[in-house]
């Protein structure tokens, strides 16, 4: 049976004919009917519901996910040291990881035993002599710079505020470490969870890596394996090179301040602060880490001692930039200073202090990945040097010929 000319439904075909552009009269509206199978509709609904459930589950488990991510980062940092122990002493990865854990606990306990009393002693010194220090600083600025920082009443308030802040920090530190009661159970659980995942990721790193690579094709395995190894190199190199520089700078600060007369207990806390901040905070950390020890030294021992500490900070910074840092970390992590500063700011905004700490090796890994997988070409164009005696308007510009 043929299709009627009036556009009605033909009994033979069971569907309406599709009018051609030649048969449509001017001004006539053509309506196309689109039918979607019920199966496709249910697939779309199922995919949307699955996505919502996964997002809800990730949001509910964000604490666990963040702990797993932190543990994986720590395992990348521990892997080079564990690998060296296994290669040198022929240990298995489990005992080697346990030795690294014990060494880390001993080091942390050592820092706590030294740092907390030092901060307490510094708080006591600020409380007893803070007003006199600020008064001396006022006198110095007024005699040499022509202005006064604060009045005597403000000086006393500033000293009391600094004393209270240091006391509060010390009490919080003691409470976090020793006085964990009802509210500290969650902290202990998080710490134990991170330690457990870190131990597992580090001790079974080869097995975990093989399990992940089995999920991909051989060519993809090469890329993922290279990226994984680069993550270990960048993270471990960053962590260990920073720790070495931290020890060197901290010892330099300590001996310099003790030599100019700063009490040992105060010098320890200031040296740890100066060394850590100047090494682990990019760009501005150098100035922040040196400013506090210099100011405290000025308050305790006067202008000459403060200038000696300032001279050490400037000299060390030059030695680190020109010799120490290239020797220690040039082969492990190279990152532009501006990129490092921006990465630290972005990491801190996203995940707080831990994000700022982990942002640098992540940025270095991304930079290394881009340099290896993004095509780069030789630069053939160079801006011509300005010709003397010619203005920019009169100078002829030659356009490159296509092809």
């Amino acid at each position: 049976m043929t299709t009627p000319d009036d556009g009605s439904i033909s009994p033979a075909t069971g569907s309406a004919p599709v009018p051609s552009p030649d048969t449509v009269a001017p001004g006539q509206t053509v309506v196309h009917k689109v039918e979607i199978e019920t199966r496709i509709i249910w697939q779309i609904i199922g995919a949307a519901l699955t996505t919502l459930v996964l997002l809800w589950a990730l949001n509910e488990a964000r604490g666990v996910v963040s702990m797993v991510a932190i543990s994986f980062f720590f395992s990348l940092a521990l892997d080079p040291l564990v690998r060296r122990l296994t290669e040198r002493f022929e240990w298995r990865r489990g005992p080697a990881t346990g030795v690294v854990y014990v060494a880390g606990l001993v080091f942390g306990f050592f820092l706590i035993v030294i740092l907390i009393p030092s901060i307490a002693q510094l708080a006591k010194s600020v409380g007893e002599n803070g007003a006199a220090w600020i008064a001396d600083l006022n006198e110095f600025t007024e005699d040499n710079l022509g202005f006064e920082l604060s009045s005597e009443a403000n000086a006393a308030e500033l000293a009391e505020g600094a004393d209270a802040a240091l006391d509060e920090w010390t009490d919080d530190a003691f409470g976090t470490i020793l006085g964990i009661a009802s509210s500290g159970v969650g902290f202990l659980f998080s710490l134990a969870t991170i330690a457990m995942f870190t131990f597992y990721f580090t001790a079974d790193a080869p097995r975990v890596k093989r399990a992940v690579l089995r999920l991909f094709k051989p060519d993809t395995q090469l890329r993922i394996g290279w990226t994984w190894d680069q993550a270990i190199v960048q993270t471990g190199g960053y962590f260990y090179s920073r720790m070495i520089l931290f020890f060197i700078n901290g010892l330099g600060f300590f001996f310099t301040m003790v030599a100019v007369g700063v009490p040992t207990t105060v010098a320890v806390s200031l040296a740890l602060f100066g060394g850590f901040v100047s090494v682990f905070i990019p760009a501005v950390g150098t100035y922040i880490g040196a400013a506090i020890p210099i100011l405290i030294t000025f308050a305790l021992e006067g202008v000459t001692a403060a200038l000696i500490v300032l001279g050490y900070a400037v000299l060390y910074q030059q030695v680190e930039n020109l010799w120490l840092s290239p020797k220690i970390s040039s082969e492990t992590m190279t990152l532009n200073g501006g990129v490092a500063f921006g990465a630290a700011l972005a990491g801190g905004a996203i995940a707080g202090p831990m994000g700022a700490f982990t942002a640098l090796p992540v940025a270095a890994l991304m930079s290394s990945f881009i340099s290896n997988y993004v095509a780069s070409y030789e630069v053939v164009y160079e801006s011509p040097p300005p010709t003397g005696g010619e203005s920019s308007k009169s100078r002829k510009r030659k356009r490159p010929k296509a092809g």
Side-chain angles (χ1 to χ4, degrees):
M1 181 180 291
T2 59
T3 304
D5 297 334
D6 57 357
S8 60
I9 299 177
S10 174
T13 60
S15 60
V18 179
S20 64
D22 297 334
T23 60
V24 177
Q28 181 180 359
T29 303
V30 179
V31 179
H32 297 280
K33 184 178 180 181
V34 179
E35 294 184 358
I36 302 177
E37 296 183 6
T38 305
R39 179 177 58 85
I40 297 178
I41 295 176
W42 283 111
Q43 287 178 350
I44 295 174
I45 295 175
L49 291 177
T50 303
T51 303
L52 292 176
V53 170
L54 289 177
L55 292 176
W56 173 82
L58 286 176
N59 182 65
E60 292 295 321
R62 61 185 181 275
V64 177
V65 173
S66 63
M67 286 188 289
V68 171
I70 293 172
S71 302
F72 184 71
F73 171 79
F74 284 152
S75 70
L76 295 179
L78 295 178
D79 189 86
L81 183 57
V82 172
R83 187 179 301 179
R84 178 165 296 185
L85 291 176
T86 57
E87 293 175 354
R88 183 170 182 178
F89 300 103
E90 298 182 353
W91 293 349
R92 291 184 298 175
R93 290 189 65 94
T97 306
V99 170
V100 174
Y101 260 52
V102 172
L105 290 176
V106 172
F107 174 72
F109 179 77
F110 176 75
L111 282 183
I112 292 171
V113 169
I114 291 180
L115 185 59
I116 298 298
S118 300
I119 295 295
Q121 179 63 33
L122 179 60
K124 181 180 179 181
S125 299
V126 171
E128 294 177 351
N129 306 310
W133 294 348
I134 298 176
D136 293 340
L137 184 60
N138 278 335
E139 183 180 354
F140 174 80
T141 56
E142 187 175 2
D143 294 341
N144 296 275
L145 303 177
F147 67 90
E148 184 179 4
L149 289 178
S150 62
S151 62
E152 185 176 351
N154 290 334
E157 293 179 1
L158 288 174
E160 292 177 0
D163 182 22
L166 289 172
D167 284 339
E168 183 178 358
W169 186 92
T170 306
D171 293 340
D172 291 342
F174 272 118
T176 303
I177 298 167
L178 301 176
I180 300 174
S182 59
S183 61
V185 174
F187 172 78
L188 276 180
F189 175 77
S190 301
L191 190 62
T193 303
I194 292 174
M196 181 187 68
F197 276 119
T198 303
F199 186 91
Y200 170 73
F201 286 145
T202 307
D204 285 344
R207 190 180 306 174
V208 173
K209 187 176 182 180
R210 287 194 298 269
V212 173
L213 292 180
R214 286 195 187 99
L215 303 176
F216 302 93
K217 297 179 180 179
D219 55 343
T220 307
Q221 290 182 15
L222 296 176
R223 293 177 177 266
I224 296 177
W226 179 87
T227 304
W228 199 310
D229 291 337
Q230 282 297 308
I232 294 174
V233 170
Q234 300 291 347
T235 305
Y238 167 75
F239 181 76
Y240 295 116
S241 62
R242 297 293 98 181
M243 288 298 295
I244 293 173
L245 293 175
F246 162 62
F247 277 116
I248 295 174
N249 195 14
L251 287 175
F253 264 122
F254 173 75
F255 288 118
T256 303
M257 286 185 289
V258 170
V260 298
V262 177
T264 303
T265 53
V266 176
V268 167
S269 58
L270 293 177
L272 290 175
F273 172 83
F276 182 86
V277 172
S278 63
V279 166
F280 285 99
I281 298 181
V284 298
T286 300
Y287 309 102
I288 298 175
I292 302 301
I294 291 171
L295 289 176
I296 298 297
T297 303
F298 171 78
L300 289 173
E301 301 299 330
V303 179
T304 303
L307 289 177
I308 293 175
V309 178
L310 174 62
Y312 161 76
V314 174
L315 178 62
Y316 170 79
Q317 192 60 35
Q318 301 306 313
V319 172
E320 179 184 313
N321 292 336
L322 298 177
W323 186 71
L324 281 177
S325 187
K327 286 288 185 180
I328 295 174
S329 59
S330 61
E331 298 182 358
T332 56
M333 192 186 80
T334 56
L335 195 62
N336 179 270
V339 175
F341 185 61
L345 292 179
I350 295 173
M354 183 57 65
F357 180 74
T358 59
L360 296 186
V362 172
L365 173 63
M366 293 176 62
S367 176
S368 178
F369 187 83
I370 292 173
S371 65
N372 279 273
Y373 287 105
V374 176
S376 60
Y377 305 93
E378 182 182 358
V379 178
V380 298
Y381 175 78
E382 293 183 2
S383 299
T387 305
E390 293 184 356
S391 63
S392 59
K393 292 183 179 180
S394 63
R395 190 182 304 121
K396 294 182 179 180
R397 296 180 175 88
K398 296 182 179 180
R399 295 183 178 180
K401 295 180 180 181

